[in-house]
């Protein structure tokens, strides 16, 4: 057979020998190159070390960087808040009806309202209670608890703040699963009425001359659907016809059976409270006041029933609402805080309807386009120029939103970080948020009432607690919002509670603003503001037309020295709660008020109030009969 022309396949030993030969040639080449490089390096070193000829040196001058002058951190004023709950006679205890089933409503708590129900000029206190579930009673849970507990303010001048519980009113004592409160004189008889929200719809209680209350829910037509879980509500005149209309937000479509199907569990399988993502949203109700004690539900026609564009189901999961005229056109708009879905902004179209513009305005989402777990909300004219700021308390690990209007009134940007609120507010679970000038320096500060949903949260999230401290941010002007601590406000303000609602009022007539917090399944905290006398102040009580004699929706502009301030008569703020109707203007060291202007509800042109208002007292201002145009 002739020999093959193909190369023989090398044996394993041949491969090793060939590789070694290649490696040997590579090593010899590398050694040669290394020698060349070392020689070049030595030559370079020698040349550089030779002496240089003297010559004229050239110096390039470099300008030093501009030094950034940091604004000196202002000193936070010392204003102590003192817990006077027991000393003032407050014995209320919230009952959420929890008995092991871990049902979602048990996590939400109740609201509180400051209102003058007996027209004696002093703010009274109303607490909203929940109730035991009717299908599950035990020896540890009472069979009935009052749905409302009302306290009359009996504080006398120069004496300690004191309240007495008002008892013997059957329609207040009835038991139901209440949540929120909205107070307003809907029929113009001069006595403030009360709407209570909760699981199973709403209840309207008509004030019978400051002596008792009558259930007027059916007669007024504002009860909603028995399947409703109503939360935030507000009285306001949306159509500028002179009387108060009513907005009622609903949370989610809920029942015991739906809750059981959702079935949140902790690690290990134990039943747990959970967020509302797996619950369908719920439409709100907008009731137009017919002027005869009755209301008409115009929710669908008015454009406040927003649907999920993908599923067609109700989109809202409302826990907070604040009415405010965002555009300055004399027509009140609505900012609605929704939990885990986008917030709404209902722009008043001045024709009996609203347009939802939350996404366009910048208030619907966070800075990255995400939704948050929104709870309470407040909105004010915050800057000297009158720009509006909207604060929204969000879930744990989400910053408190601090939307500030830009050059256009309906365009907002979340400036929580730049104002100094973002970082400190991230960890807690925020519910009630509200603006107030607690030190009377003329700038609005921010309070946050905090508390978690899940009792066992500390076992599954490091650093979280069920009971949480409130937060107070002092407005330092150009230096931003500074976090107040126990050294500046005392320990009582920051005692951890399962906080929910919050409100403010001047309880003892000394000009500074006292506060109340509600806690879930526990007692409230009533805090007296012990501001050291010195800052000047001005307080105003407005009286509007007969159908809206509380002038809800009016604006007051005050200029004193370099400070320019705006306040709106709008008790609805925070979480499920209402603050006083009176307006407080801190004047600091200013001893003269330069300007007071009142823009009455439905108006765009302000009334100039004659100069000479005495400082450090409450003044009443009444609307002229001809000032308002229908």
């Amino acid at each position: 057979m002739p020999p093959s022309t193909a190369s023989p396949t090398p044996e394993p030993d041949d491969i090793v020998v060939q590789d070694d030969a290649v490696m040997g040639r590579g090593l010899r080449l590398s050694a040669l190159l290394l020698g060349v490089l070392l020689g070049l390096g030595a030559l370079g070193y020698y040349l550089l070390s030779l002496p240089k000829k003297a010559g004229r040196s050239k110096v390039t001058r470099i300008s030093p960087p501009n030094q950034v002058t940091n604004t000196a951190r202002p000193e936070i004023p010392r204003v102590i808040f003192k817990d006077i709950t027991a000393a003032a006679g407050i014995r209320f205890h919230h009952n959420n009806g929890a008995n092991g089933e871990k049902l979602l409503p048990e996590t939400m708590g109740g609201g509180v309202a400051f209102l003058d129900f007996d027209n004696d000029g002093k703010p009274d206190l109303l607490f909203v209670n929940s109730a035991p579930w009717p299908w599950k009673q035990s020896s540890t849970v009472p069979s009935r608890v009052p749905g409302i507990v009302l306290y009359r303010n009996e504080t006398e001048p120069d004496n300690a703040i004191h309240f007495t519980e008002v008892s013997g009113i059957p329609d207040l004592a009835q038991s139901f699963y209440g949540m929120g409160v909205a107070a307003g004189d809907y029929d113009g008889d001069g006595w403030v009425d009360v709407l209570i929200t909760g699981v199973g719809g709403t209840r309207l209680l008509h004030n019978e001359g400051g002596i008792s209350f009558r259930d007027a829910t059916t007669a007024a037509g504002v009860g909603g659907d028995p399947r409703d879980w109503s939360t935030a509500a507000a009285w306001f005149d949306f159509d500028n016809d002179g009387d108060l209309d009513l907005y009622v937000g609903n949370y989610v479509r809920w029942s015991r059976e739906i809750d059981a199907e959702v079935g949140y569990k902790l690690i290990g399988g134990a039943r747990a409270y959970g967020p509302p993502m797996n619950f369908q949203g719920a439409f709100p109700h907008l009731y137009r006041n017919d002027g005869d004690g009755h209301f008409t539900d115009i929710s669908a026609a008015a454009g406040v029933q927003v649907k999920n564009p993908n599923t067609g189901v109700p989109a809202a999961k409302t826990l907070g609402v604040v009415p405010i005229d965002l555009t300055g056109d004399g027509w009140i708009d609505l900012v609605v805080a929704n939990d885990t879905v986008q917030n709404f902004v209902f722009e008043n179209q001045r024709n009996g309807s609203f347009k939802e513009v939350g996404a366009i305005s910048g208030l619907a989402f966070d800075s990255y386009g995400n939704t948050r777990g929104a709870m309470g909300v407040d909105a004010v004219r915050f800057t000297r120029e009158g720009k509006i700021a909207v604060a929204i308390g969000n879930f744990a690990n989400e910053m408190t939103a601090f939307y500030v209007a830009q050059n256009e009134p309906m365009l907002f940007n979340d400036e929580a970080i730049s104002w100094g609120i973002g970082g400190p507010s991230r960890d807690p679970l925020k519910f009630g948020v509200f603006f107030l000038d607690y030190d009377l320096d003329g700038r609005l500060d921010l309070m946050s009432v905090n508390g978690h949903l899940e009792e066992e949260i500390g076992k599954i999230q490091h650093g979280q607690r069920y009971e949480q401290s409130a937060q107070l941010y002092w407005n330092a002007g150009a230096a931003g919002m500074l976090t107040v601590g126990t050294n500046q406000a005392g320990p009582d303000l920051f005692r951890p509670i399962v906080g929910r609602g919050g409100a403010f009022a001047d309880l003892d007539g000394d000009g500074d603003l006292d506060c109340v917090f509600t806690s879930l399944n526990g007692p409230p905290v009533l805090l007296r503001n012990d501001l050291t006398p010195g800052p000047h102040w001005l307080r105003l009580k407005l009286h509007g037309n007969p159908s809206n004699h509380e002038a809800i929706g009016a604006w007051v502009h005050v200029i004193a020295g370099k400070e320019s301030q705006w306040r709106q008569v709008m008790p609805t703020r925070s979480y499920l709660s209402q603050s006083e109707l009176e307006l407080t203007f801190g004047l600091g060291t200013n001893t003269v008020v330069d300007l007071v202007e009142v823009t009455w509800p439905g108006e765009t042109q302000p009334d100039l109030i004659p100069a000479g208002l005495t400082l450090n007292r409450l003044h009443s201002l009444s609307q002229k009969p001809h000032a308002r145009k229908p």
Side-chain angles (χ1 to χ4, degrees), residues 283-287 296-305:
F283 286 139
H285 296 287
L286 179 63
Y287 296 101
T296 298
D297 189 338
I298 61 168
S299 309
V304 298
Q305 293 187 342

Side-chain angles (χ1 to χ4, degrees), residues 417-440:
I417 293 177
S418 60
W419 273 93
I421 296 172
S425 69
R426 184 182 295 276
D427 287 344
L429 202 166
K430 289 75 61 181
F431 274 88
V433 293
F434 53 91
F435 292 95
L436 79 167
D437 181 6
Y438 78 95
D439 63 332
L440 300 180

Side-chain angles (χ1 to χ4, degrees), residues 268-531:
R271 173 86 169 147
Y273 296 116
M277 274 87 80
N278 292 333
F279 293 88
Q280 180 179 300
F283 286 139
H285 296 287
L286 179 63
Y287 296 101
R288 186 187 62 218
N289 193 331
D290 296 333
D292 57 358
H294 185 268
F295 293 78
T296 298
D297 189 338
I298 61 168
S299 309
V304 298
Q305 293 187 342
V306 180
K307 295 181 180 179
N308 185 309
N310 298 318
T311 63
V313 302
K317 297 181 180 181
T318 300
L319 289 177
V321 61
V322 59
I324 184 170
D325 179 4
L326 295 171
T327 61
D329 63 357
W331 297 76
I332 295 184
D333 313 296
L334 292 171
V335 179
V336 178
N338 289 318
D339 189 4
T340 71
V341 297
Q342 70 182 69
N343 302 317
F344 294 154
V345 176
F346 291 117
E347 183 180 10
N348 198 320
Q349 300 299 290
R350 298 180 289 182
N351 60 3
S353 69
F354 291 87
K355 180 181 180 181
E356 203 290 299
V357 295
I360 298 173
S361 70
L363 285 163
F365 306 101
D366 69 7
S367 299
Y368 302 97
N370 299 315
T371 60
R372 292 184 277 201
M375 310 293 179
V377 58
D378 196 6
V380 295
R381 291 196 177 273
F382 184 71
T383 66
R384 290 175 177 172
E385 300 78 22
K387 287 186 177 180
I388 290 174
V390 178
I392 299 178
N394 292 312
F395 202 77
N397 303 315
E398 298 174 342
M399 295 182 295
T400 293
F402 193 72
Y403 300 102
V404 179
Q406 304 305 294
N407 293 330
E408 296 184 14
M410 287 295 285
L411 183 61
F412 290 80
N413 185 44
D414 191 347
E415 299 181 3
I417 293 177
S418 60
W419 273 93
I421 296 172
S425 69
R426 184 182 295 276
D427 287 344
L429 202 166
K430 289 75 61 181
F431 274 88
V433 293
F434 53 91
F435 292 95
L436 79 167
D437 181 6
Y438 78 95
D439 63 332
L440 300 180
D441 66 350
R443 297 189 295 265
L444 285 168
D445 314 297
L446 184 66
M447 186 83 77
S448 174
V449 186
N450 309 325
H452 214 281
L453 302 180
E454 175 54 56
E455 298 162 289
E456 305 296 328
I457 189 63
K459 296 180 180 180
I460 57 176
Q461 289 190 22
H462 178 71
Q464 283 289 350
R465 292 183 57 185
Y466 186 46
E467 296 178 331
Q468 299 182 353
S469 300
Q471 291 176 302
L472 176 60
Y473 302 94
W474 178 61
N475 188 344
M481 304 285 275
L482 306 183
T483 304
V484 180
T486 56
N487 290 336
Q488 296 91 21
D492 291 355
L493 177 64
F494 304 108
R495 179 172 60 84
I497 62 172
V498 189
R500 293 296 184 260
F504 63 83
D506 179 9
L507 298 178
D508 48 8
D510 63 355
D512 55 38
L513 296 174
D514 312 295
C515 297
V516 64
F517 304 155
T518 66
S519 63
L520 177 70
N521 211 36
V525 181
L526 184 64
L527 296 157
R528 184 186 64 221
N529 185 331
D530 286 343
L531 175 65

Side-chain angles (χ1 to χ4, degrees), residues 102 260-275 454 460:
K102 298 274 188 173
E261 290 177 5
V262 171
Y264 286 109
K265 296 183 184 300
L266 290 172
I267 297 174
R271 173 86 169 147
Y273 296 116
E454 175 54 56
I460 57 176

